[in-house]
């Protein structure tokens, strides 16, 4: 559950817009539950990034349980867009370099899941910082 909270709550609480267009890639019931705590979300659910085909500059937030290419993140996010996706630890240099070429802020963060294992998520943003720009929606 903590993993899903981190995927959903950090990007939503970092964005200053209230009526958010959110794309969920590979989501499940726990992600839906976390999203339900927020009002005024327009949510699109797709299985993988191929479902983004005609959504250029459409999403304020992309939440993915799977790797999403940096080109897709850049293309399908709005000018203030935020994306979160899993990564292979704090040393996933290849992913950080790819995404870092197109996104202004790339911030990996880790936490302990219910099994006391470390999970890592990459927060990528065209504008907002995942810690400095937390706002109340």
């Amino acid at each position: 559950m903590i993993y899903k909270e981190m995927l959903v709550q950090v990007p939503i609480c970092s964005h200053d817009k209230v009526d958010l267009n959110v794309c969920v890639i590979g989501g499940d019931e726990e992600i839906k539950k976390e999203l339900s705590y927020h009002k005024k979300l327009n949510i699109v659910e797709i299985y993988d990034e191929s479902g983004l085909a005609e959504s250029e500059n459409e999403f304020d937030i992309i939440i993915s349980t799977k790797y999403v290419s940096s080109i897709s993140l850049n293309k399908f996010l709005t000018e203030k867009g935020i994306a979160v996706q899993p990564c292979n630890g704090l040393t996933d240099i290849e992913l950080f370099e790819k995404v870092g070429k197109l996104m202004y802020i790339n911030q990996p963060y880790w936490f302990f899941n219910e099994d006391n294992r470390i999970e890592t998520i990459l927060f990528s943003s065209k504008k907002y910082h995942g810690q400095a720009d937390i706002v109340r929606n």
Side-chain angles (χ1 to χ4, degrees), residues 15-26:
H15 208 292
D16 70 348
K17 187 176 172 187
V18 176
D19 299 327
L20 293 167
N21 290 322
V22 178
C23 177
V24 178
I25 301 173

Side-chain angles (χ1 to χ4, degrees), residues 27-72:
D28 60 17
E29 292 304 314
E30 289 180 28
I31 288 180
K32 287 180 188 177
K33 179 182 176 188
E34 291 300 320
L35 290 167
S36 73
Y37 297 133
H38 300 274
K39 296 177 175 33
K40 299 184 179 182
L41 297 180
N42 177 29
I43 302 166
V44 174
E45 297 177 72
I46 58 175
Y47 177 73
D48 60 28
E49 71 181 282
S50 65
L52 292 169
E54 297 182 22
S55 305
E56 196 165 326
N57 298 320
E58 182 176 338
F59 299 109
D60 300 302
I61 296 175
I62 295 176
I63 297 168
S64 182
T65 61
K66 307 171 180 188
Y67 168 76
V68 179
S69 76
S70 55
I71 293 170
S72 291

Side-chain angles (χ1 to χ4, degrees), residues 69-106:
S69 76
S70 55
I71 293 170
S72 291
L73 292 178
N74 192 50
K75 181 177 180 182
F76 300 114
L77 287 169
T78 61
E79 66 183 27
K80 295 180 179 182
I82 296 172
V84 289
Q85 64 181 318
C87 61
N88 295 321
L90 299 175
T91 58
D92 195 346
I93 304 302
E94 182 180 344
L95 176 62
F96 303 155
E97 287 177 349
K98 286 179 183 177
V99 178
K101 291 178 183 176
L102 298 170
M103 303 292 279
Y104 180 64
I105 293 173
N106 291 288

